[in-house]
Amino acid sequence: MLLGLSASALTGCSEADDTSVTAPMASSSTAGFGTAGTSTGPPATYRSVDALCPALDFRPLSELFGPVGQQQHQSRPIGATTNLTCTATLGQLPRGVVVTVAATIGAPEAGRVMYEGLRRVHDETESVRDISSLGAGAYTYTDAAGSHIVTYDANLYLTLTAAPLRLNATPDPALVEPTSRVAASALSALRA
């Protein structure tokens, strides 16, 4: 819940579909899960895209819940930072889910700073589990709002929430693997 509030504060409440491109920043880490893995080339950097939803691979979740339905995306620059969001509905009631992906792209190492700060909060309030091979660091937790993946790499901080469409449904902790694959598609799509 706190992460949702933090993401809302970072992305704002506007319904507008603003777009911008942020120049890549330098870093000392590389993306992992579902990608080519570590590389001996230049450090990973991430950049904004005009629309996040079309860049994501929802297949790991659509295989479980049904086709992707309605999608909404937003790209919003705030100073040297760009906040991207994508919300998509997969499947229908009673089993469907709504997936929200939020990416914050900023200065070098901005992703790590956000990740470490919010990780401390989640460690105190949620039962978190580390995820290996996704970004430079990643963890998952499940609460009343859904199943969450939180990851960072270089100048990128990314969260993904999969919540049941049916009110009062219990989020499924088995969603960690497919939601991790969707998060990995976001890292690949935003990699400069």
Side-chain angles (χ1 to χ4, degrees):
M1 187 69 168
L2 181 58
L3 179 60
L5 294 174
S6 299
S8 294
L10 288 172
T11 60
C13 298
S14 171
E15 291 288 323
D17 186 8
D18 306 317
T19 59
S20 76
V21 176
T22 302
M25 306 290 178
S27 167
S28 61
S29 54
T30 57
F33 195 96
T35 65
T38 57
S39 135
T40 57
T45 58
Y46 296 86
R47 44 89 178 119
S48 180
V49 293
D50 290 337
L52 183 57
C53 289
L56 300 173
D57 182 0
F58 286 110
R59 285 180 296 180
L61 290 171
S62 65
E63 290 169 359
L64 296 172
F65 298 104
V68 176
Q70 183 178 3
Q71 298 181 36
Q72 292 182 318
H73 59 262
Q74 180 179 25
S75 176
R76 186 174 178 161
I78 301 173
T81 300
T82 300
N83 294 312
L84 303 169
T85 57
C86 169
T87 302
T89 303
L90 287 88
Q92 300 176 5
L93 286 170
R95 266 194 99 256
V97 293
V98 61
V99 176
T100 303
V101 180
T104 301
I105 302 164
E109 299 302 315
R112 180 184 56 79
V113 171
M114 291 180 68
Y115 176 88
E116 289 176 355
L118 289 171
R119 171 70 189 249
R120 282 190 288 272
V121 172
H122 290 141
D123 280 338
E124 292 175 5
T125 60
E126 307 296 339
S127 177
V128 303
R129 289 187 353 242
D130 287 319
I131 301 173
S132 61
S133 302
L134 180 62
Y139 62 92
T140 182
Y141 65 95
T142 300
D143 63 11
S147 295
H148 307 272
I149 301 288
V150 180
T151 187
Y152 84 97
D153 193 23
N155 62 321
L156 172 69
Y157 176 77
L158 185 122
T159 63
L160 185 149
T161 299
L165 281 175
R166 187 169 49 93
L167 291 177
N168 301 322
T170 304
D172 185 355
L175 290 177
V176 171
E177 195 276 332
T179 53
S180 293
R181 290 171 51 202
V182 176
S185 79
L187 290 174
S188 294
L190 298 173
R191 180 111 185 230

